[in-house]
């Protein structure tokens, strides 16, 4: 191939490469660490009732607590591939689930979206309501919000 032909080809392909969107699973989200209030829940593509669910969740690194910070409320969100920080594996932090579920976490400012598959074979293409997916939406609680201090577990 001649030099002018190569330059022409590169000139034609460059705009296509620059315009290609980056999949959400590869984009770095805002920090997911913090205390979150559950505001919306979906199961199997159907909107559910978040009222009767544990309202406050705390995320710290790859660990989160559904309710008060206690081992009985501990769950794991591991990042299997650092190149895709939103793609996670979700499992009971107490070792009860040796086969973690596929999951995804996306944070945008004070909004957190978390979803995971109903079983280990479910594929998560994006964090949104879908068949065979549990989908949660949270809002970040500020430090001065009384609900941000999860009650200590009973002794």
């Amino acid at each position: 191939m001649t030099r002018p032909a190569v330059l022409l080809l590169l000139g034609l392909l460059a705009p296509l490469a620059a315009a290609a969107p980056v999949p959400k699973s590869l984009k770095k989200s805002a920090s997911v660490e913090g205390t979150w209030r559950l505001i919306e829940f979906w199961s199997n593509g159907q909107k559910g009732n978040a009222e009767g669910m544990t309202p406050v969740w705390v995320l710290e690194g790859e660990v989160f607590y559904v309710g008060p910070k206690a081992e009985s409320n501990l769950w794991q969100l591991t990042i299997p591939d650092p190149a895709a920080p939103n793609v996670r594996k979700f499992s009971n932090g107490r070792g009860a689930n040796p086969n973690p579920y596929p999951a995804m976490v996306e944070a945008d400012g004070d909004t957190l979206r978390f979803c995971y598959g109903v079983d280990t074979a479910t594929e998560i293409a994006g964090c949104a309501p879908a068949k065979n997916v549990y989908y949660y939406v949270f809002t970040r609680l500020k430090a001065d919000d009384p609900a941000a201090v999860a009650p200590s577990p009973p002794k």
Side-chain angles (χ1 to χ4, degrees):
M1 191 177 273
T2 66
R3 181 178 167 99
V6 169
L7 291 175
L8 177 63
L9 182 60
L10 289 174
L12 292 172
L13 294 177
L16 295 176
V22 176
K24 279 189 174 182
S25 64
L26 298 179
K27 290 182 182 177
K28 182 157 176 56
S29 285
S31 174
V32 299
E33 291 199 12
T35 304
W36 301 89
R37 178 187 304 282
L38 179 64
I39 58 172
E40 191 174 319
F41 169 72
W42 294 68
S43 174
N44 204 26
Q46 303 294 314
K47 190 165 187 172
N49 183 1
E51 293 293 319
M53 300 177 74
T54 304
V56 177
W57 295 23
V58 179
L59 280 78
E60 295 177 342
E62 292 186 355
V63 173
F64 75 92
Y65 300 90
V66 178
K69 289 174 65 174
E71 188 168 330
S72 61
N73 298 330
L74 177 80
W75 294 82
Q76 278 305 128
L77 274 174
T78 55
I79 303 173
D81 181 2
N86 294 345
V87 177
R88 309 285 179 106
K89 292 291 185 179
F90 169 65
S91 63
N92 181 305
R94 299 174 304 282
N97 181 10
N99 300 310
Y101 301 108
M104 187 171 284
V105 177
E106 295 175 353
D108 182 14
D110 289 339
T111 301
L112 175 78
R113 288 173 298 285
F114 166 60
C115 59
Y116 69 96
V118 298
D119 58 35
T120 57
T122 301
E123 290 187 29
I124 305 287
C127 202
K131 184 176 182 187
N132 296 326
V133 171
Y134 295 113
Y135 172 73
Y136 301 79
V137 179
F138 299 87
T139 187
R140 187 184 302 271
L141 291 175
K142 306 297 182 203
D144 60 351
D145 187 321
V149 180
S152 297
K155 294 189 179 210

